[in-house]
Amino acid sequence: MAEGDFFPIRTLVVAGLGLIGGSFAVAARSAGIAQRLVGFDHSARHRQEAEALGLVDATLADWKDLPEETDLLLLAVPVGALAEVIADLRPHLPAHTILTDAGSVKAPLVALMQQPAYQAIRFVAGHPIAGGERFGPQAARSGLFQGKRFILTPTADTDPDALQLVRAIWTRFGSEVREMDAQMHDEIFAAVSHLPHLLAYASIQAIVTSDHSEALEHSGAGLKDFSRIASSSPEMWADIFVENKESLLKRVTVFRETLDALEAAIANEDDAALRALLWQAKQDRDRWMG
Amino acid sequence: MAEGDFFPIRTLVVAGLGLIGGSFAVAARSAGIAQRLVGFDHSARHRQEAEALGLVDATLADWKDLPEETDLLLLAVPVGALAEVIADLRPHLPAHTILTDAGSVKAPLVALMQQPAYQAIRFVAGHPIAGGERFGPQAARSGLFQGKRFILTPTADTDPDALQLVRAIWTRFGSEVREMDAQMHDEIFAAVSHLPHLLAYASIQAIVTSDHSEALEHSGAGLKDFSRIASSSPEMWADIFVENKESLLKRVTVFRETLDALEAAIANEDDAALRALLWQAKQDRDRWMG
């Protein structure tokens, strides 16, 4: 399918007007890929903000108002809300509409969409590797996906034209598009993203409950960088942790083994073991960060 | 004591020509606080590099060569080496020499220096809150301490003139000088610095041993910042962890309690508990980072 056969999309609907959905709408407008941009959000405040910011031309709060000419619908809602949103949306979804998403966990969604009730939907699963600590419509920015990776996790059943369209859009937004198996995606991101976020969140209590009220004014750049991801959206990350719990908890188990070994080496003042563990970590970290 | 009564120092000796010692030497030369700068290091390579880089005017490898006109001696060796270095140095240390240090753990050193054999030494314990992942003489830079905090942990026995001199030097280097109790120092830095470093080191194995070789190419800015401190010097951090093990392991215990609670909430898909834990972490982190 050449781009000319498809573009422009008549109506593009973005469900979830947060950082990702809002940035997708702004990027879509900049790229001129849709005649009309419509936003869906359960939050009246998000709808008002998105309209006031000009992210979309109009908003919806009920799927029965979904326009028949909706050619593409992006779900940018928290991953824990996807199943319910899709169930609500299903009766109102035109047969030709391509449905895609931007969730950080892929296997449960891909499995859901292979169920009989959803098999006919032209669905393409995707995950933009982009984000930040700021969230909500106000955080939306056109360049968010520029130079970032976008992962597609198609199956044998994925409509090839729909897949091609979604790939073309993210490529147009400046993303580097990759394809991989959904389960593999979830295992990889459990390691490189979900575990570090969980550990950053888990560390804060031990830092702030140190016995001295003036402790925090002595925090430096190292702590600031280490803990930055603990300022991310709790709702979004609660959903990701639960949706990807199997892969994530496996990583937590490996982390605990290393922490146990480090703690034992410190308690026993086993300098050789401790240095070996720290050198291994440093070398692995330096190798992968280049 | 006015600055004019003391400056310039005749000979300033820096023991340990790494990032901190080397940067101290460069800053001392820039500020013109000493007539002569001498470096001590057990490593022949460090001595050669420090001389080639012009960090010092000359180097020593044996304390018997310590000049009688040494007015100030900074110990910038790993904290685990301090006791041995001081024992080696003691028989050769002139009575008038002011001895100071730059170690990240203070209570064990302060206790050591209160032992009868060392009570006569004009010792001032200090800790510059500065560093980085690069280390060794090559990493030395004049501005390292500019705008950073410097902590003094004097006792009732600390020589007031020696304390005033050390304070004046770090102030001249652009540091903001604070005083606090050594034990309190160690508890605070266990929380805001030593624990985050330990967790960053502990996390790397769980990330790199994920089952997919291509995982690491999907790491993003969040992981890069989170793990940056795991590239710090393993020798330096092994020493810090062991020297401050009591306060550090207390922080690890609190961390484990939070991680256990998060893990249980994820395993049980207890969304309310999980969100509450993540919100608490985010709010605490945002409050202290401003």
PDB file of all heavy atoms in Angstrom, chain B residues 169-199:
ATOM      1  N   ILE B 169      40.017  27.036  53.381  1.00  0.00           N
ATOM      2  CA  ILE B 169      40.464  26.515  52.079  1.00  0.00           C
ATOM      3  C   ILE B 169      39.271  26.089  51.223  1.00  0.00           C
ATOM      4  O   ILE B 169      39.161  26.466  50.046  1.00  0.00           O
ATOM      5  CB  ILE B 169      41.435  25.332  52.280  1.00  0.00           C
ATOM      6  CG1 ILE B 169      42.772  25.851  52.825  1.00  0.00           C
ATOM      7  CG2 ILE B 169      41.636  24.578  50.960  1.00  0.00           C
ATOM      8  CD1 ILE B 169      43.721  24.746  53.260  1.00  0.00           C
ATOM      9  N   TRP B 170      38.366  25.296  51.796  1.00  0.00           N
ATOM     10  CA  TRP B 170      37.228  24.821  50.998  1.00  0.00           C
ATOM     11  C   TRP B 170      36.299  25.970  50.621  1.00  0.00           C
ATOM     12  O   TRP B 170      35.705  25.961  49.539  1.00  0.00           O
ATOM     13  CB  TRP B 170      36.489  23.705  51.745  1.00  0.00           C
ATOM     14  CG  TRP B 170      37.284  22.428  51.807  1.00  0.00           C
ATOM     15  CD1 TRP B 170      38.117  22.033  52.823  1.00  0.00           C
ATOM     16  CD2 TRP B 170      37.374  21.411  50.796  1.00  0.00           C
ATOM     17  NE1 TRP B 170      38.704  20.827  52.512  1.00  0.00           N
ATOM     18  CE2 TRP B 170      38.274  20.416  51.289  1.00  0.00           C
ATOM     19  CE3 TRP B 170      36.793  21.238  49.539  1.00  0.00           C
ATOM     20  CZ2 TRP B 170      38.577  19.261  50.557  1.00  0.00           C
ATOM     21  CZ3 TRP B 170      37.102  20.081  48.820  1.00  0.00           C
ATOM     22  CH2 TRP B 170      37.986  19.119  49.325  1.00  0.00           C
ATOM     23  N   THR B 171      36.206  26.966  51.519  1.00  0.00           N
ATOM     24  CA  THR B 171      35.427  28.152  51.178  1.00  0.00           C
ATOM     25  C   THR B 171      36.065  28.859  49.986  1.00  0.00           C
ATOM     26  O   THR B 171      35.373  29.277  49.044  1.00  0.00           O
ATOM     27  CB  THR B 171      35.337  29.099  52.397  1.00  0.00           C
ATOM     28  OG1 THR B 171      34.757  28.388  53.485  1.00  0.00           O
ATOM     29  CG2 THR B 171      34.512  30.338  52.073  1.00  0.00           C
ATOM     30  N   ARG B 172      37.411  28.976  49.991  1.00  0.00           N
ATOM     31  CA  ARG B 172      38.137  29.584  48.882  1.00  0.00           C
ATOM     32  C   ARG B 172      37.907  28.810  47.577  1.00  0.00           C
ATOM     33  O   ARG B 172      37.880  29.392  46.492  1.00  0.00           O
ATOM     34  CB  ARG B 172      39.641  29.604  49.225  1.00  0.00           C
ATOM     35  CG  ARG B 172      40.552  30.191  48.178  1.00  0.00           C
ATOM     36  CD  ARG B 172      40.701  31.708  48.283  1.00  0.00           C
ATOM     37  NE  ARG B 172      41.442  32.140  49.457  1.00  0.00           N
ATOM     38  CZ  ARG B 172      42.740  32.500  49.448  1.00  0.00           C
ATOM     39  NH1 ARG B 172      43.435  32.475  48.336  1.00  0.00           N
ATOM     40  NH2 ARG B 172      43.320  32.920  50.550  1.00  0.00           N
ATOM     41  N   PHE B 173      37.715  27.476  47.687  1.00  0.00           N
ATOM     42  CA  PHE B 173      37.455  26.651  46.503  1.00  0.00           C
ATOM     43  C   PHE B 173      36.009  26.770  46.011  1.00  0.00           C
ATOM     44  O   PHE B 173      35.629  26.114  45.045  1.00  0.00           O
ATOM     45  CB  PHE B 173      37.738  25.176  46.800  1.00  0.00           C
ATOM     46  CG  PHE B 173      39.190  24.823  47.002  1.00  0.00           C
ATOM     47  CD1 PHE B 173      39.547  23.538  47.371  1.00  0.00           C
ATOM     48  CD2 PHE B 173      40.207  25.762  46.806  1.00  0.00           C
ATOM     49  CE1 PHE B 173      40.886  23.195  47.555  1.00  0.00           C
ATOM     50  CE2 PHE B 173      41.543  25.431  46.993  1.00  0.00           C
ATOM     51  CZ  PHE B 173      41.877  24.142  47.379  1.00  0.00           C
ATOM     52  N   GLY B 174      35.211  27.585  46.707  1.00  0.00           N
ATOM     53  CA  GLY B 174      33.833  27.797  46.251  1.00  0.00           C
ATOM     54  C   GLY B 174      32.825  26.861  46.869  1.00  0.00           C
ATOM     55  O   GLY B 174      31.660  26.844  46.457  1.00  0.00           O
ATOM     56  N   SER B 175      33.232  26.070  47.854  1.00  0.00           N
ATOM     57  CA  SER B 175      32.289  25.154  48.504  1.00  0.00           C
ATOM     58  C   SER B 175      31.518  25.867  49.609  1.00  0.00           C
ATOM     59  O   SER B 175      32.008  26.818  50.210  1.00  0.00           O
ATOM     60  CB  SER B 175      33.022  23.950  49.104  1.00  0.00           C
ATOM     61  OG  SER B 175      33.590  23.153  48.098  1.00  0.00           O
ATOM     62  N   GLU B 176      30.311  25.348  49.864  1.00  0.00           N
ATOM     63  CA  GLU B 176      29.518  25.825  50.997  1.00  0.00           C
ATOM     64  C   GLU B 176      29.815  24.893  52.167  1.00  0.00           C
ATOM     65  O   GLU B 176      29.483  23.712  52.127  1.00  0.00           O
ATOM     66  CB  GLU B 176      28.029  25.781  50.634  1.00  0.00           C
ATOM     67  CG  GLU B 176      27.113  26.234  51.745  1.00  0.00           C
ATOM     68  CD  GLU B 176      25.708  25.656  51.593  1.00  0.00           C
ATOM     69  OE1 GLU B 176      25.381  25.145  50.500  1.00  0.00           O
ATOM     70  OE2 GLU B 176      24.950  25.715  52.570  1.00  0.00           O
ATOM     71  N   VAL B 177      30.464  25.408  53.198  1.00  0.00           N
ATOM     72  CA  VAL B 177      30.957  24.562  54.288  1.00  0.00           C
ATOM     73  C   VAL B 177      29.915  24.450  55.399  1.00  0.00           C
ATOM     74  O   VAL B 177      29.374  25.461  55.851  1.00  0.00           O
ATOM     75  CB  VAL B 177      32.293  25.100  54.845  1.00  0.00           C
ATOM     76  CG1 VAL B 177      32.790  24.219  55.994  1.00  0.00           C
ATOM     77  CG2 VAL B 177      33.344  25.177  53.733  1.00  0.00           C
ATOM     78  N   ARG B 178      29.618  23.218  55.808  1.00  0.00           N
ATOM     79  CA  ARG B 178      28.698  22.939  56.919  1.00  0.00           C
ATOM     80  C   ARG B 178      29.415  22.101  57.964  1.00  0.00           C
ATOM     81  O   ARG B 178      30.345  21.379  57.633  1.00  0.00           O
ATOM     82  CB  ARG B 178      27.495  22.112  56.420  1.00  0.00           C
ATOM     83  CG  ARG B 178      26.640  22.780  55.374  1.00  0.00           C
ATOM     84  CD  ARG B 178      25.666  23.746  56.016  1.00  0.00           C
ATOM     85  NE  ARG B 178      24.719  24.219  54.997  1.00  0.00           N
ATOM     86  CZ  ARG B 178      23.491  23.724  54.851  1.00  0.00           C
ATOM     87  NH1 ARG B 178      23.061  22.752  55.626  1.00  0.00           N
ATOM     88  NH2 ARG B 178      22.693  24.208  53.924  1.00  0.00           N
ATOM     89  N   GLU B 179      28.932  22.152  59.190  1.00  0.00           N
ATOM     90  CA  GLU B 179      29.461  21.274  60.241  1.00  0.00           C
ATOM     91  C   GLU B 179      28.348  20.386  60.753  1.00  0.00           C
ATOM     92  O   GLU B 179      27.213  20.838  60.908  1.00  0.00           O
ATOM     93  CB  GLU B 179      30.004  22.106  61.415  1.00  0.00           C
ATOM     94  CG  GLU B 179      31.318  22.776  61.118  1.00  0.00           C
ATOM     95  CD  GLU B 179      31.924  23.465  62.347  1.00  0.00           C
ATOM     96  OE1 GLU B 179      31.578  23.112  63.491  1.00  0.00           O
ATOM     97  OE2 GLU B 179      32.755  24.377  62.142  1.00  0.00           O
ATOM     98  N   MET B 180      28.665  19.134  61.022  1.00  0.00           N
ATOM     99  CA  MET B 180      27.698  18.260  61.684  1.00  0.00           C
ATOM    100  C   MET B 180      28.424  17.130  62.400  1.00  0.00           C
ATOM    101  O   MET B 180      29.611  16.895  62.188  1.00  0.00           O
ATOM    102  CB  MET B 180      26.663  17.710  60.697  1.00  0.00           C
ATOM    103  CG  MET B 180      27.189  16.725  59.672  1.00  0.00           C
ATOM    104  SD  MET B 180      25.838  15.983  58.682  1.00  0.00           S
ATOM    105  CE  MET B 180      25.425  17.349  57.593  1.00  0.00           C
ATOM    106  N   ASP B 181      27.688  16.445  63.260  1.00  0.00           N
ATOM    107  CA  ASP B 181      28.215  15.287  63.973  1.00  0.00           C
ATOM    108  C   ASP B 181      28.540  14.161  62.985  1.00  0.00           C
ATOM    109  O   ASP B 181      27.803  13.916  62.025  1.00  0.00           O
ATOM    110  CB  ASP B 181      27.145  14.831  64.974  1.00  0.00           C
ATOM    111  CG  ASP B 181      27.488  13.509  65.611  1.00  0.00           C
ATOM    112  OD1 ASP B 181      28.388  13.495  66.469  1.00  0.00           O
ATOM    113  OD2 ASP B 181      26.887  12.487  65.230  1.00  0.00           O
ATOM    114  N   ALA B 182      29.655  13.457  63.227  1.00  0.00           N
ATOM    115  CA  ALA B 182      30.107  12.416  62.296  1.00  0.00           C
ATOM    116  C   ALA B 182      29.081  11.294  62.139  1.00  0.00           C
ATOM    117  O   ALA B 182      28.834  10.809  61.026  1.00  0.00           O
ATOM    118  CB  ALA B 182      31.448  11.842  62.773  1.00  0.00           C
ATOM    119  N   GLN B 183      28.478  10.863  63.241  1.00  0.00           N
ATOM    120  CA  GLN B 183      27.494   9.771  63.163  1.00  0.00           C
ATOM    121  C   GLN B 183      26.272  10.216  62.358  1.00  0.00           C
ATOM    122  O   GLN B 183      25.743   9.466  61.524  1.00  0.00           O
ATOM    123  CB  GLN B 183      27.079   9.361  64.588  1.00  0.00           C
ATOM    124  CG  GLN B 183      26.032   8.253  64.648  1.00  0.00           C
ATOM    125  CD  GLN B 183      26.535   6.948  64.057  1.00  0.00           C
ATOM    126  OE1 GLN B 183      27.730   6.654  64.101  1.00  0.00           O
ATOM    127  NE2 GLN B 183      25.628   6.174  63.459  1.00  0.00           N
ATOM    128  N   MET B 184      25.831  11.449  62.585  1.00  0.00           N
ATOM    129  CA  MET B 184      24.695  11.984  61.832  1.00  0.00           C
ATOM    130  C   MET B 184      25.049  12.078  60.347  1.00  0.00           C
ATOM    131  O   MET B 184      24.230  11.749  59.476  1.00  0.00           O
ATOM    132  CB  MET B 184      24.335  13.361  62.384  1.00  0.00           C
ATOM    133  CG  MET B 184      23.212  14.046  61.633  1.00  0.00           C
ATOM    134  SD  MET B 184      22.683  15.519  62.555  1.00  0.00           S
ATOM    135  CE  MET B 184      21.985  16.486  61.209  1.00  0.00           C
ATOM    136  N   HIS B 185      26.277  12.523  60.060  1.00  0.00           N
ATOM    137  CA  HIS B 185      26.744  12.557  58.669  1.00  0.00           C
ATOM    138  C   HIS B 185      26.583  11.189  58.014  1.00  0.00           C
ATOM    139  O   HIS B 185      26.057  11.053  56.910  1.00  0.00           O
ATOM    140  CB  HIS B 185      28.212  12.988  58.613  1.00  0.00           C
ATOM    141  CG  HIS B 185      28.853  12.765  57.286  1.00  0.00           C
ATOM    142  ND1 HIS B 185      29.323  11.521  56.892  1.00  0.00           N
ATOM    143  CD2 HIS B 185      29.077  13.591  56.234  1.00  0.00           C
ATOM    144  CE1 HIS B 185      29.794  11.604  55.664  1.00  0.00           C
ATOM    145  NE2 HIS B 185      29.666  12.862  55.249  1.00  0.00           N
ATOM    146  N   ASP B 186      27.031  10.154  58.710  1.00  0.00           N
ATOM    147  CA  ASP B 186      27.029   8.817  58.113  1.00  0.00           C
ATOM    148  C   ASP B 186      25.609   8.294  57.913  1.00  0.00           C
ATOM    149  O   ASP B 186      25.325   7.597  56.927  1.00  0.00           O
ATOM    150  CB  ASP B 186      27.834   7.848  58.980  1.00  0.00           C
ATOM    151  CG  ASP B 186      29.327   8.162  58.942  1.00  0.00           C
ATOM    152  OD1 ASP B 186      29.725   9.089  58.205  1.00  0.00           O
ATOM    153  OD2 ASP B 186      30.095   7.479  59.643  1.00  0.00           O
ATOM    154  N   GLU B 187      24.704   8.642  58.822  1.00  0.00           N
ATOM    155  CA  GLU B 187      23.308   8.210  58.672  1.00  0.00           C
ATOM    156  C   GLU B 187      22.648   8.933  57.499  1.00  0.00           C
ATOM    157  O   GLU B 187      21.916   8.328  56.716  1.00  0.00           O
ATOM    158  CB  GLU B 187      22.534   8.457  59.981  1.00  0.00           C
ATOM    159  CG  GLU B 187      23.006   7.515  61.098  1.00  0.00           C
ATOM    160  CD  GLU B 187      22.441   7.867  62.471  1.00  0.00           C
ATOM    161  OE1 GLU B 187      21.582   8.770  62.572  1.00  0.00           O
ATOM    162  OE2 GLU B 187      22.875   7.230  63.461  1.00  0.00           O
ATOM    163  N   ILE B 188      22.920  10.215  57.376  1.00  0.00           N
ATOM    164  CA  ILE B 188      22.333  10.989  56.273  1.00  0.00           C
ATOM    165  C   ILE B 188      22.850  10.475  54.926  1.00  0.00           C
ATOM    166  O   ILE B 188      22.068  10.241  54.002  1.00  0.00           O
ATOM    167  CB  ILE B 188      22.634  12.492  56.440  1.00  0.00           C
ATOM    168  CG1 ILE B 188      21.769  13.074  57.567  1.00  0.00           C
ATOM    169  CG2 ILE B 188      22.430  13.247  55.125  1.00  0.00           C
ATOM    170  CD1 ILE B 188      22.049  14.532  57.893  1.00  0.00           C
ATOM    171  N   PHE B 189      24.157  10.265  54.816  1.00  0.00           N
ATOM    172  CA  PHE B 189      24.686   9.860  53.509  1.00  0.00           C
ATOM    173  C   PHE B 189      24.416   8.390  53.197  1.00  0.00           C
ATOM    174  O   PHE B 189      24.371   8.016  52.022  1.00  0.00           O
ATOM    175  CB  PHE B 189      26.151  10.298  53.359  1.00  0.00           C
ATOM    176  CG  PHE B 189      26.229  11.773  53.125  1.00  0.00           C
ATOM    177  CD1 PHE B 189      26.340  12.665  54.184  1.00  0.00           C
ATOM    178  CD2 PHE B 189      26.053  12.281  51.850  1.00  0.00           C
ATOM    179  CE1 PHE B 189      26.315  14.039  53.968  1.00  0.00           C
ATOM    180  CE2 PHE B 189      26.033  13.653  51.627  1.00  0.00           C
ATOM    181  CZ  PHE B 189      26.172  14.540  52.687  1.00  0.00           C
ATOM    182  N   ALA B 190      24.166   7.582  54.231  1.00  0.00           N
ATOM    183  CA  ALA B 190      23.665   6.229  53.963  1.00  0.00           C
ATOM    184  C   ALA B 190      22.361   6.315  53.178  1.00  0.00           C
ATOM    185  O   ALA B 190      22.128   5.552  52.239  1.00  0.00           O
ATOM    186  CB  ALA B 190      23.439   5.465  55.273  1.00  0.00           C
ATOM    187  N   ALA B 191      21.515   7.277  53.560  1.00  0.00           N
ATOM    188  CA  ALA B 191      20.199   7.412  52.919  1.00  0.00           C
ATOM    189  C   ALA B 191      20.282   8.065  51.546  1.00  0.00           C
ATOM    190  O   ALA B 191      19.773   7.525  50.565  1.00  0.00           O
ATOM    191  CB  ALA B 191      19.258   8.222  53.824  1.00  0.00           C
ATOM    192  N   VAL B 192      20.920   9.227  51.466  1.00  0.00           N
ATOM    193  CA  VAL B 192      20.827  10.019  50.222  1.00  0.00           C
ATOM    194  C   VAL B 192      21.886   9.660  49.188  1.00  0.00           C
ATOM    195  O   VAL B 192      21.787  10.086  48.036  1.00  0.00           O
ATOM    196  CB  VAL B 192      20.871  11.547  50.494  1.00  0.00           C
ATOM    197  CG1 VAL B 192      19.742  11.945  51.445  1.00  0.00           C
ATOM    198  CG2 VAL B 192      22.219  12.003  51.022  1.00  0.00           C
ATOM    199  N   SER B 193      22.890   8.882  49.571  1.00  0.00           N
ATOM    200  CA  SER B 193      23.948   8.574  48.615  1.00  0.00           C
ATOM    201  C   SER B 193      24.317   7.083  48.574  1.00  0.00           C
ATOM    202  O   SER B 193      24.325   6.473  47.507  1.00  0.00           O
ATOM    203  CB  SER B 193      25.196   9.405  48.959  1.00  0.00           C
ATOM    204  OG  SER B 193      26.297   9.043  48.155  1.00  0.00           O
ATOM    205  N   HIS B 194      24.609   6.486  49.732  1.00  0.00           N
ATOM    206  CA  HIS B 194      25.139   5.123  49.714  1.00  0.00           C
ATOM    207  C   HIS B 194      24.070   4.119  49.284  1.00  0.00           C
ATOM    208  O   HIS B 194      24.347   3.218  48.482  1.00  0.00           O
ATOM    209  CB  HIS B 194      25.755   4.781  51.072  1.00  0.00           C
ATOM    210  CG  HIS B 194      26.753   5.815  51.544  1.00  0.00           C
ATOM    211  ND1 HIS B 194      27.307   5.829  52.789  1.00  0.00           N
ATOM    212  CD2 HIS B 194      27.300   6.899  50.903  1.00  0.00           C
ATOM    213  CE1 HIS B 194      28.138   6.860  52.915  1.00  0.00           C
ATOM    214  NE2 HIS B 194      28.133   7.526  51.786  1.00  0.00           N
ATOM    215  N   LEU B 195      22.845   4.264  49.801  1.00  0.00           N
ATOM    216  CA  LEU B 195      21.769   3.359  49.367  1.00  0.00           C
ATOM    217  C   LEU B 195      21.490   3.452  47.864  1.00  0.00           C
ATOM    218  O   LEU B 195      21.453   2.417  47.186  1.00  0.00           O
ATOM    219  CB  LEU B 195      20.483   3.616  50.167  1.00  0.00           C
ATOM    220  CG  LEU B 195      19.300   2.729  49.741  1.00  0.00           C
ATOM    221  CD1 LEU B 195      19.506   1.275  50.167  1.00  0.00           C
ATOM    222  CD2 LEU B 195      17.982   3.263  50.298  1.00  0.00           C
ATOM    223  N   PRO B 196      21.290   4.650  47.307  1.00  0.00           N
ATOM    224  CA  PRO B 196      21.074   4.713  45.847  1.00  0.00           C
ATOM    225  C   PRO B 196      22.206   4.079  45.044  1.00  0.00           C
ATOM    226  O   PRO B 196      21.944   3.394  44.053  1.00  0.00           O
ATOM    227  CB  PRO B 196      20.941   6.217  45.567  1.00  0.00           C
ATOM    228  CG  PRO B 196      20.454   6.799  46.856  1.00  0.00           C
ATOM    229  CD  PRO B 196      21.088   5.968  47.945  1.00  0.00           C
ATOM    230  N   HIS B 197      23.450   4.284  45.461  1.00  0.00           N
ATOM    231  CA  HIS B 197      24.556   3.643  44.743  1.00  0.00           C
ATOM    232  C   HIS B 197      24.450   2.121  44.839  1.00  0.00           C
ATOM    233  O   HIS B 197      24.607   1.405  43.844  1.00  0.00           O
ATOM    234  CB  HIS B 197      25.913   4.114  45.283  1.00  0.00           C
ATOM    235  CG  HIS B 197      26.366   5.433  44.705  1.00  0.00           C
ATOM    236  ND1 HIS B 197      25.890   6.640  45.143  1.00  0.00           N
ATOM    237  CD2 HIS B 197      27.217   5.712  43.690  1.00  0.00           C
ATOM    238  CE1 HIS B 197      26.450   7.620  44.433  1.00  0.00           C
ATOM    239  NE2 HIS B 197      27.262   7.077  43.545  1.00  0.00           N
ATOM    240  N   LEU B 198      24.170   1.611  46.043  1.00  0.00           N
ATOM    241  CA  LEU B 198      24.066   0.153  46.210  1.00  0.00           C
ATOM    242  C   LEU B 198      22.950  -0.414  45.327  1.00  0.00           C
ATOM    243  O   LEU B 198      23.123  -1.444  44.664  1.00  0.00           O
ATOM    244  CB  LEU B 198      23.798  -0.186  47.687  1.00  0.00           C
ATOM    245  CG  LEU B 198      23.708  -1.674  47.994  1.00  0.00           C
ATOM    246  CD1 LEU B 198      25.056  -2.361  47.792  1.00  0.00           C
ATOM    247  CD2 LEU B 198      23.203  -1.915  49.418  1.00  0.00           C
ATOM    248  N   LEU B 199      21.805   0.259  45.304  1.00  0.00           N
ATOM    249  CA  LEU B 199      20.675  -0.248  44.513  1.00  0.00           C
ATOM    250  C   LEU B 199      20.968  -0.171  43.013  1.00  0.00           C
ATOM    251  O   LEU B 199      20.556  -1.059  42.259  1.00  0.00           O
ATOM    252  CB  LEU B 199      19.404   0.532  44.847  1.00  0.00           C
ATOM    253  CG  LEU B 199      18.925   0.398  46.295  1.00  0.00           C
ATOM    254  CD1 LEU B 199      17.664   1.228  46.510  1.00  0.00           C
ATOM    255  CD2 LEU B 199      18.686  -1.061  46.674  1.00  0.00           C
TER     256      LEU B 199
END
